[in-house]
Amino acid sequence: MKISDKEARDMILKAQMLPGIAPVPPGKGATLATISRLGYVQIDTISVVERSHHHVLWTRQVGYHPNDISVLINEDRSLFEYWAHAMAYLPMQDYRFYLPKMKKFHNPSTSWAKHQLGKCKHLMPKVLERIRNEGPLASKDFKAQSHKKGTWWDWKPAKIALEFLFWRGDLMITDRRGFQKIYDLTERVLPPGVDTSMPARSEIGEFIVRRGLAAMGLADETDLSRFLQPAASRDSDWRMVDTKTVHKTIQSLVDAGVVVELICAQDNHPYYALSETLKKTNGRASSRKEVYILSPFDNCLIMRDRLQKHFDFSYSLECYLPASKRTYGYFNMPILYGDEFVGQLDPKADRKEKRLILQNIFFKTGYSDFESVLSPLAVLLVRMAAFNGCNQIEIKNTRPKKIAKALERIIASL
């Protein structure tokens, strides 16, 4: 089945709950539904604006409140934290599919994991005993031993023990205070009725393919092999299932009519989509054009090569670069208008002064449809300021220069 490039983009964006999908109403139920639809939401520590996991949900939900996550984790127990593509919030209904990964950490195969285990194995029984007797604890509740402060792998041994017990499923994260993880025994966190049966490899393969296609709209075999799994660690302790199983599952679901093979106009490479997704699209691409400011860790952006291939948009987060080598700014966030990435902006929330500072707003070279995009962008920026506890917007630098005054004028009128 052949589809146009525009139809491919439309399928991707609709699956990601972006243009063409009605805004999700507020409330914790909608937050859970959004995370379930996306498959996961990556957790991130950077806080120049509201953290990425909150921004991803705010983008798709009118009236989203960051407290929803805490309620769903700590009270409802309908979400849990674990490693997927990266550290993420995951639907509790998917818990059993992560059990094989947890099992691997009882006898890790990678040299890195073995090294970590060697540093903390002697402390693990003591850590478990303290949490069993005292209740949920954070890393700071364990006295630091002499160690070199610095990178992630230089943690104090007790912190490594906590994380290793978490990786292998003895502990779960029951809550966060600020951004500090609070660990408790898994048996006290898992709600009654959660399926904890160990899935077969074939079950995990089907879970990955079905969940991945529902979340991505259409994808090739490589995309599906990376979904919910770290791309840099092929078949390691961190992966749920191997690439051969993903391949076999795709072919099985195609034969069963659950999955359809597609050819995009841009190439002759095979892609796949769920049959039900194609029935819903019915060959009609969305005509709605809305503006979105996406987090660098948004599910829609996280596979950069996929972004380049389908949207002709080359993107990289610049906070890891020296300031002298940045083009768009420290926390450059892409601007999506309709099905086109039209630019990037670099925001910073000055929470003390209640100002959202836009250090850069750069549209791509040659872009000219400012008459259409600036008004909805201004409305979105006002919403974004409020979400970050700000009531003022300061624009420092734009490209082209002329849009600064136009944006300021529109914002002042709102």
Side-chain angles (χ1 to χ4, degrees):
M1 180 177 176
K2 289 191 175 181
I3 61 171
S4 69
D5 295 343
K6 184 170 181 59
E7 287 172 325
R9 291 192 297 272
D10 191 67
M11 288 174 67
I12 292 168
L13 294 174
K14 282 183 175 177
Q16 285 289 302
M17 306 176 72
L18 293 170
I21 297 294
V24 179
K28 65 179 183 179
T31 298
L32 177 60
T34 301
I35 295 174
S36 297
R37 172 69 178 267
L38 298 175
Y40 71 96
V41 169
Q42 181 173 334
I43 302 169
D44 189 65
T45 60
I46 299 173
S47 59
V48 289
V49 287
E50 188 63 81
R51 286 189 170 94
S52 176
H53 42 280
H54 295 309
H55 189 95
V56 167
L57 293 163
W58 170 81
T59 297
R60 292 160 173 84
Q61 287 179 246
V62 174
Y64 166 76
H65 195 284
N67 190 53
D68 288 352
I69 291 286
S70 181
V71 172
L72 291 168
I73 289 275
N74 190 35
E75 297 178 20
D76 295 0
R77 304 298 196 195
S78 53
L79 291 178
F80 73 104
E81 291 189 32
Y82 198 67
W83 285 95
H85 162 81
M87 191 64 175
Y89 292 116
L90 301 157
M92 187 65 80
Q93 68 188 50
D94 296 346
Y95 179 80
R96 69 182 290 252
F97 294 105
Y98 294 85
L99 291 174
K101 187 187 295 191
M102 296 175 190
K103 185 178 178 181
K104 289 180 183 180
F105 283 103
H106 285 267
N107 185 26
S109 61
T110 61
S111 57
W112 181 87
K114 288 179 179 179
H115 179 64
Q116 299 304 308
L117 181 58
K119 290 195 290 186
C120 70
K121 190 174 182 178
H122 65 291
L123 287 176
M124 289 164 67
K126 298 175 183 177
V127 168
L128 280 174
E129 184 180 5
R130 276 199 62 189
I131 292 176
R132 182 172 286 108
N133 294 335
E134 299 176 35
L137 296 174
S139 173
K140 67 180 181 180
D141 296 315
F142 293 83
K143 184 179 180 181
Q145 297 182 15
S146 178
H147 69 291
K148 176 185 174 184
K149 292 184 178 180
T151 55
W152 185 77
W153 48 87
D154 286 330
W155 284 339
K156 62 188 180 185
K159 172 63 175 175
I160 301 173
L162 281 167
E163 282 295 288
F164 216 97
L165 288 164
F166 166 66
W167 297 338
R168 72 182 207 177
D170 295 294
L171 298 178
M172 294 182 73
I173 295 168
T174 185
D175 201 3
R176 286 181 183 250
R177 294 176 193 146
F179 208 63
Q180 181 85 197
K181 297 174 187 175
I182 310 299
Y183 302 85
D184 199 0
L185 301 178
T186 293
E187 63 203 56
R188 295 201 293 232
V189 176
L190 277 183
V194 171
D195 188 351
T196 56
S197 60
M198 187 68 67
R201 186 176 296 182
S202 59
E203 289 183 278
I204 303 174
E206 185 164 348
F207 167 73
I208 289 282
V209 172
R210 284 179 177 268
R211 181 69 93 178
L213 290 178
M216 292 189 281
L218 86 162
D220 65 14
E221 193 170 307
T222 300
D223 296 335
L224 290 167
S225 291
R226 292 184 294 172
F227 183 69
L228 295 179
Q229 306 196 99
S233 51
R234 296 174 64 90
D235 306 329
S236 76
D237 295 326
W238 295 101
R239 293 183 64 80
M240 298 168 74
V241 73
D242 58 279
T243 55
K244 289 181 180 179
T245 299
V246 172
H247 172 79
K248 185 177 179 180
T249 303
I250 292 170
Q251 299 311 311
S252 175
L253 292 176
V254 168
D255 292 342
V258 175
V259 169
V260 176
E261 185 173 324
L262 304 172
I263 299 294
C264 293
Q266 66 182 359
D267 56 27
N268 290 317
H269 186 65
Y271 296 90
Y272 303 94
L274 294 172
S275 299
E276 61 187 58
T277 298
L278 293 173
K279 289 177 184 177
K280 290 177 182 178
T281 58
N282 201 25
R284 294 191 300 268
S286 174
S287 59
R288 290 170 59 180
K289 293 188 76 171
E290 300 174 18
V291 175
Y292 294 88
I293 299 167
L294 299 183
S295 163
F297 304 101
D298 193 283
N299 299 51
C300 191
L301 306 178
I302 206 63
M303 295 184 186
R304 310 295 197 215
D305 54 344
R306 175 177 158 85
L307 194 65
Q308 174 74 62
K309 183 165 51 179
H310 292 293
F311 294 89
D312 192 26
F313 181 56
S314 178
Y315 172 72
S316 61
L317 176 59
E318 297 185 349
C319 65
Y320 305 114
L321 297 175
S324 60
K325 293 187 177 181
R326 294 175 194 149
T327 301
Y328 299 98
Y330 177 84
F331 201 64
N332 51 312
M333 304 176 74
I335 303 169
L336 174 68
Y337 181 46
D339 66 355
E340 180 184 9
F341 286 92
V342 299
Q344 301 181 51
L345 59 82
D346 178 30
K348 180 179 180 180
D350 182 338
R351 296 173 177 89
K352 185 177 180 180
E353 298 294 328
K354 296 188 175 182
R355 285 182 304 156
L356 180 65
I357 303 167
L358 303 173
Q359 298 171 121
N360 296 311
I361 306 178
F362 291 165
F363 283 85
K364 66 182 184 180
T365 303
Y367 188 78
S368 60
D369 191 17
F370 298 110
E371 186 175 339
S372 299
V373 75
L374 288 187
S375 288
L377 177 61
V379 171
L380 184 57
L381 288 171
V382 170
R383 281 189 56 228
M384 185 176 175
F387 183 59
N388 283 274
C390 300
N391 54 27
Q392 303 174 64
I393 296 174
E394 178 183 342
I395 301 173
K396 286 194 170 183
N397 187 29
T398 66
R399 188 177 67 205
K401 295 284 187 185
K402 64 180 182 181
I403 69 166
K405 289 185 178 180
L407 257 181
E408 288 170 345
R409 186 168 59 250
I410 297 168
I411 289 170
S413 71
L414 295 175

